[in-house]
Amino acid sequence: MERLRKEKMLDAVHDITIGYAQNIVQAEMDMAVGNFPREIHFHIVRYPIATLPSEEEDLRNWCEQRWKEKEDLLEEFYKRKQFPNVKNVEIGMSYRLKIAYTASIIFYTIGSLLYMWVIFTTYWGDRKSVV
């Protein structure tokens, strides 16, 4: 952090908390079977670099405090299904985005199957059965 400040490579830290109101995805297999989140909520707070503590220990404490706040925020979110004191903005998925999303899933599935077929035929395809 000190180096980023010194070289002026960082002007702010963004604290982003993501909440899923339903259909919490735990693994890729969930998405493979169609279990996609129906709603995704973001809570974003921007902290200008000048407002962050400059001492390492103070910065560590600041980060720990943000984690505690984040846990409280998520606990409240899962009770109410929305972040408290936040203006909600609904963004729907456009038709073009749905097409792209579906195409990427199809491409990923076909690509994975093709890759497994190549591996299978390469490894087991040349073997002769011994009877």
Side-chain angles (χ1 to χ4, degrees), residues 17-21 39-43 77 81-83 88:
T17 305
I18 303 172
Y20 301 98
E39 293 178 22
I40 303 173
H41 297 253
F42 294 90
H43 184 268
F77 173 84
K81 302 300 182 200
Q82 68 179 24
F83 289 116
N88 289 325

Side-chain angles (χ1 to χ4, degrees), residues 10-83:
L10 185 67
D11 68 338
V13 171
H14 291 85
D15 179 1
I16 302 172
T17 305
I18 303 172
Y20 301 98
Q22 57 184 333
N23 294 34
I24 300 172
V25 177
Q26 299 291 330
E28 285 96 9
M29 191 51 125
D30 290 336
M31 290 195 299
V33 296
N35 185 21
F36 298 102
R38 300 290 179 238
E39 293 178 22
I40 303 173
H41 297 253
F42 294 90
H43 184 268
I44 304 169
V45 180
R46 183 180 189 273
Y47 296 99
I49 195 71
T51 65
L52 273 61
S54 56
E55 298 296 320
E56 187 175 336
E57 184 64 29
D58 294 338
L59 185 60
R60 183 176 295 116
N61 291 335
W62 181 86
C63 287
E64 288 175 8
Q65 184 60 37
R66 296 297 77 74
W67 280 110
K68 288 176 188 173
E69 290 173 6
K70 189 180 288 279
E71 288 297 324
D72 293 342
L73 186 66
L74 283 170
E75 186 176 324
E76 184 67 23
F77 173 84
Y78 286 113
K79 286 179 188 173
R80 297 178 35 196
K81 302 300 182 200
Q82 68 179 24
F83 289 116

